[in-house]
Amino acid sequence: MSGLLSNFRNTIIVSFILALVIVIGYGHGPQGHGLVYAQAIFRWLHVLFGILWIGLLYYFNFVQIRVMPQIPAELKPAVTQYIAPEALFWFRWAALATWVMGVILAYSRGYILEAFTLGLAGGYTPGVDMGFTFIGTGMWLATVMFLNVWGVIWPNQKRALGIIEVDADAKAKAARTAMLFSRINTLLSIPMLATMAMNQTVFG
């Protein structure tokens, strides 16, 4: 067992195999292998990738950004050259996968237009379309966060970490821009998660 757990790749492979056994098991439930079953898989993947994305966002903001000023100068390259680039790889691709799975889920459940128009598509029925307003708000917040990751945070992090060579002033400016937009995403994440967590329970 220790040999398995000592190897990250093997740990993840075994975890996915166990998950797939459960996923296949759900296919023998009352809904069979129809659309609802597919939607359940999309929701699982959406949550899985979302945990990875937001978990890394919180790592950056709760830990790395706050602690970096306290790290001795000679130790900072360990973070900027090894830890941060690896974390940013999983961070940006998890953001993309989360967003794509969310859009697929909304489309497959037939409410993507209503959500993106905040419940206004086809007329607004108070107390009914309110669910679309809430989930649509969450989807728009997540979309802004996703665009921030790929359009602002990652391009600026490449400069800040030296992946793209720039002068010292441009590097400092890029680091601050990346930090501010990461903070914007942190600010947006908690209300976004409120809509994602509560909407399914309240509106089904």
Side-chain angles (χ1 to χ4, degrees), residues 16-31:
F16 266 98
I17 290 171
L18 294 173
L20 286 174
V21 170
I22 293 171
V23 169
I24 292 168
Y26 271 108
H28 298 284
Q31 300 291 342

Side-chain angles (χ1 to χ4, degrees), residues 72-146:
E74 66 273 14
L75 298 180
K76 286 184 180 180
V79 177
T80 58
Q81 294 178 24
Y82 296 97
I83 295 175
E86 182 75 9
L88 284 164
F89 172 84
W90 294 104
F91 174 70
R92 67 183 186 274
W93 289 109
L96 174 61
T98 303
W99 189 84
V100 169
M101 284 297 113
V103 170
I104 291 173
L105 180 60
Y107 177 79
S108 70
R109 296 199 66 202
Y111 63 74
I112 191 166
L113 179 61
E114 289 84 352
F116 272 118
T117 59
L118 303 179
L120 298 177
Y124 186 85
T125 304
V128 177
D129 293 336
M130 186 185 299
F132 297 135
T133 303
F134 281 117
I135 196 64
T137 299
M139 289 170 66
W140 274 113
L141 291 174
T143 298
V144 170
M145 292 169 63
F146 161 68

Side-chain angles (χ1 to χ4, degrees), residues 159 164-174:
R159 297 180 180 89
I164 295 176
E165 292 295 331
V166 294
D167 61 48
D169 288 342
K171 191 172 184 177
K173 181 180 178 182

